[in-house]
Amino acid sequence: MYSNEMKFVETHEWIKNDSADVVTVGITHHAQELLGDLVYVELPSIGSVIAANDTIGVVESVKAASDLYSPLAGEVVEINEEVVNDPTLANTDPHGSGWLFKLKLSNPSDVDSLLSADKYKSLIG
Amino acid sequence: MNYTPFYQCHIDSGGKIVDFGGWALPVNYGSQIKEHEAVRTDVGMFDVSHMVITDVHGVEAKQFLRHLISNDVEKLEKHGVGKALYTALLNNEAGVIDDLIVYLTAFGYRIVSNAATEAKDLAWIKQVAGNFQVSLFPRRDLAMLAVQGPNAIQKVSESHPNVAEQLAGLKPFSSVEDNGYFYARTGYTGENGLEIMFPKEEAKTLWLTLLDHGVVPCGLGARDTLRLEAGMNLYGHEMDESITPVECTMDWVVDLSDESRDFIGKVAYQLAKISTGNMVQVGLLMQGRGILRDGQVLELNGENIGIITSGTFSPTMKQSIAIARVKKGTEGIIDAVIRDKKESVKVVKLPFVRNGKIMVTE
């Protein structure tokens, strides 16, 4: 589930390289499990330039709201309209069709500083 | 941590256990929304054994309760054994210490109150009881299971044929006792159903029997969305010791009809009732897509006019709803401030949903 092709952050987002400088970002399986039935996703607008650790949106389940943090600095180049229309995609396929947005990185090598799948797995126990 | 007699049943049914005010209880068994839907369309069951059952005995039990609570147990006597009464427990300032149900049973009065407020409720009740010839009996020897939904009574009757006939004739807010099992037609979901109090040693047997009859285990998550849709108050949200019944739609449980009855908080309540600065409780419907949550501020033309006391996504209406305390006279479209952004919400009458039907119109 936590593939070696992906990187992770402590705030439970995953990151996967589409190309050298564009990454896809989503919430982890563990995050969706903690949140329960998702009912609302608010994403940053396309073109917005964000810094690492910025609060850039929110993911809400029936029971709780969870801020969405930017894992890295860059420009938002695409958002997943399907998950906005049907937030349960992030429950059923959090690492696939439930992805949230794509980021063009300011500094592509930043990815290397993120957690590996093994480190994330040990973090969530 | 406190464990209810159903704890192992929750684990075996895949319940996700959380610490709920010191009680280990399931928040859901997989999907809160599916559990919610089961109660609206069929039948679900909730472990509510954390709630506090206290039996009141003694020659002055009736006088004691007529002084202690805002509603008048005289009404119970008129209806006879089995009748239930919803009421507030007020302090001297008419603030709500708790909400509770009083039953008149064949063996005396029974109070069911909230777990989160257990210590302060009991301290208050004991103090007042000191002036009356009454004895209080906490009943932690009992388990309590709420079976709720349009098919609830049918399912319980199927699994307990010995009481089927009595259950078929049971009116809302009434109870019947059979062989150590106390069945009350009460609940916290806005659906038909029962709350069953019975010896805790038999918890597993009842759970498994109902499970066999297709009753869906439901967690605290669904309990909250169901009560919110039903427009029912939750202690610490819609009411607390600084809120009078006037401000949380509990006027109907303050009984002033017997002028000679002196109950705690009466004078303060009468003053609050005629005060002009009152807040009132309303429902809110989100107009866009976000989710309303408790604590969010409400504004009209930039002026603060109230606060959301409970908010969620309504599984029945597929949009966000909330209960709010606002300035009297507030109506139409107002703003909810969500993460510094203003979102339009519509003021509506509670409840949102009753007996499976949506009661508010767009």
Side-chain angles (χ1 to χ4, degrees):
Chain A
M1 184 169 304
Y2 298 105
S3 141
N4 286 326
E5 288 169 21
M6 300 156 82
K7 293 280 194 177
F8 300 87
V9 282
E10 280 125 349
T11 48
H12 309 292
E13 286 90 11
W14 58 264
I15 294 92
K16 195 175 172 185
N17 271 95
D18 293 349
S19 63
D21 62 348
V22 175
V23 295
T24 302
V25 180
I27 61 163
T28 65
H29 172 72
H30 179 69
Q32 70 79 22
E33 214 171 37
L34 287 178
L35 284 162
D37 297 316
L38 294 169
V39 291
Y40 179 67
V41 174
E42 193 176 287
L43 297 174
S45 41
I46 293 173
S48 49
V49 176
I50 55 185
N53 306 319
D54 273 2
T55 307
I56 49 165
V58 68
V59 178
E60 300 203 37
S61 68
V62 183
K63 66 175 189 239
S66 174
D67 283 334
L68 185 64
Y69 297 95
S70 167
L72 297 165
E75 182 189 339
V76 177
V77 290
E78 196 177 337
I79 60 170
N80 185 357
E81 294 287 357
E82 279 175 40
V83 84
V84 172
N85 290 326
D86 179 10
T88 61
L89 281 178
N91 282 126
T92 53
D93 192 12
H95 298 176
S97 58
W99 65 276
L100 299 181
F101 62 93
K102 291 181 193 279
L103 203 55
K104 188 174 199 299
L105 300 178
S106 311
N107 188 358
S109 65
D110 285 351
V111 175
D112 302 335
S113 66
L114 303 178
L115 300 173
S116 67
D118 283 342
K119 280 209 174 120
Y120 183 68
K121 276 190 275 188
S122 67
L123 180 78
I124 62 177
Chain B
M1 188 72 81
N2 294 304
Y3 296 87
T4 75
F6 292 104
Y7 180 70
Q8 193 55 45
C9 302
H10 301 319
I11 302 291
D12 295 344
S13 293
K16 205 182 284 175
I17 304 296
V18 296
D19 176 350
F20 184 68
W23 288 88
L25 285 166
V27 62
N28 63 55
Y29 301 83
S31 168
Q32 172 175 347
I33 289 181
K34 285 195 180 122
E35 291 161 23
H36 180 109
E37 285 167 355
V39 173
R40 286 275 178 255
T41 60
D42 185 11
V43 55
M45 58 180 166
F46 306 81
D47 173 12
V48 287
S49 305
H50 57 302
M51 294 193 73
V52 185
I53 306 171
T54 309
D55 288 344
V56 182
H57 295 183
V59 290
E60 290 186 324
K62 184 168 132 186
Q63 291 97 307
F64 164 62
L65 290 170
R66 292 194 82 199
H67 179 61
L68 180 74
I69 59 176
S70 67
N71 214 336
D72 192 349
V73 293
E74 190 70 58
K75 277 186 265 197
L76 293 178
E77 301 265 325
K78 277 185 200 144
H79 284 89
V81 166
K83 192 68 186 158
L85 190 74
Y86 180 61
T87 184
L89 184 67
L90 300 180
N91 61 25
N92 291 314
E93 291 74 44
V96 182
I97 298 173
D98 198 8
D99 64 335
L100 40 91
I101 294 181
V102 180
Y103 298 92
L104 178 60
T105 74
F107 49 84
Y109 290 99
R110 167 168 287 178
I111 298 175
V112 176
S113 53
N114 285 306
T117 48
E118 181 169 6
K120 69 161 189 173
D121 285 4
L122 293 185
W124 179 263
I125 292 171
K126 270 182 198 158
Q127 189 198 321
V128 178
N131 301 319
F132 293 86
Q133 283 190 47
V134 291
S135 308
L136 304 172
F137 296 93
R139 297 299 304 270
R140 282 285 171 215
D141 56 317
L142 300 178
M144 188 163 164
L145 189 72
V147 187
Q148 302 276 305
N151 298 325
I153 291 178
Q154 186 200 325
K155 293 287 182 185
V156 174
S157 299
E158 280 170 18
S159 59
H160 296 74
N162 54 313
V163 286
E165 203 172 308
Q166 284 164 292
L167 293 181
L170 197 61
K171 294 204 163 63
F173 252 72
S174 296
S175 63
V176 63
E177 212 210 352
D178 178 79
N179 213 6
Y181 278 59
F182 185 85
Y183 303 87
R185 202 171 146 193
T186 49
Y188 196 43
T189 60
E191 297 299 323
N192 199 354
L194 298 167
E195 291 178 304
I196 309 173
M197 299 166 224
F198 62 102
K200 67 176 183 187
E201 295 73 23
E202 293 167 36
K204 190 177 174 186
T205 307
L206 180 61
W207 181 271
L208 292 178
T209 307
L210 291 173
L211 210 53
D212 267 354
H213 280 79
V215 179
V216 177
C218 299
L220 295 164
R223 187 169 157 80
D224 193 50
T225 48
L226 286 158
R227 73 92 195 166
L228 218 162
E229 284 185 349
M232 292 172 169
N233 289 359
L234 173 61
Y235 196 84
H237 288 253
E238 282 66 45
M239 51 192 167
D240 62 42
E241 289 182 40
S242 68
I243 307 291
T244 70
V246 183
E247 298 166 303
C248 59
T249 323
M250 286 184 79
D251 266 324
W252 65 283
V253 299
V254 184
D255 190 336
L256 298 171
S257 57
D258 179 355
E259 284 174 25
S260 69
R261 183 171 75 103
D262 170 39
F263 60 90
I264 298 167
K266 183 178 181 179
V267 174
Y269 170 76
Q270 286 171 311
L271 289 172
K273 210 172 151 58
I274 53 171
S275 146
T276 51
N278 281 329
M279 304 289 274
V280 292
Q281 190 163 297
V282 295
L284 300 177
L285 272 186
M286 183 76 182
Q287 300 298 286
R289 256 175 167 168
I291 309 293
L292 303 168
R293 303 283 181 188
D294 65 290
Q296 288 167 357
V297 167
L298 299 166
E299 293 184 354
L300 182 62
N301 303 324
E303 185 202 347
N304 182 330
I305 55 160
I307 192 162
I308 291 178
T309 51
S310 294
T312 191
F313 174 83
S314 159
T316 305
M317 300 170 67
K318 314 279 183 230
Q319 73 185 104
S320 183
I321 59 170
I323 300 177
R325 195 162 53 240
V326 296
K327 277 189 183 166
K328 207 172 178 171
T330 301
E331 54 182 25
I333 303 287
I334 60 174
D335 293 325
V337 183
I338 305 178
R339 290 180 289 276
D340 301 326
K341 267 190 270 174
K342 289 181 190 185
E343 305 281 354
S344 294
V345 294
K346 187 180 175 188
V347 177
V348 297
K349 237 193 211 160
L350 294 167
F352 298 99
V353 180
R354 212 24 89 82
N355 293 322
K357 284 194 196 76
I358 296 173
M359 310 293 284
V360 294
T361 46
E362 273 294 332

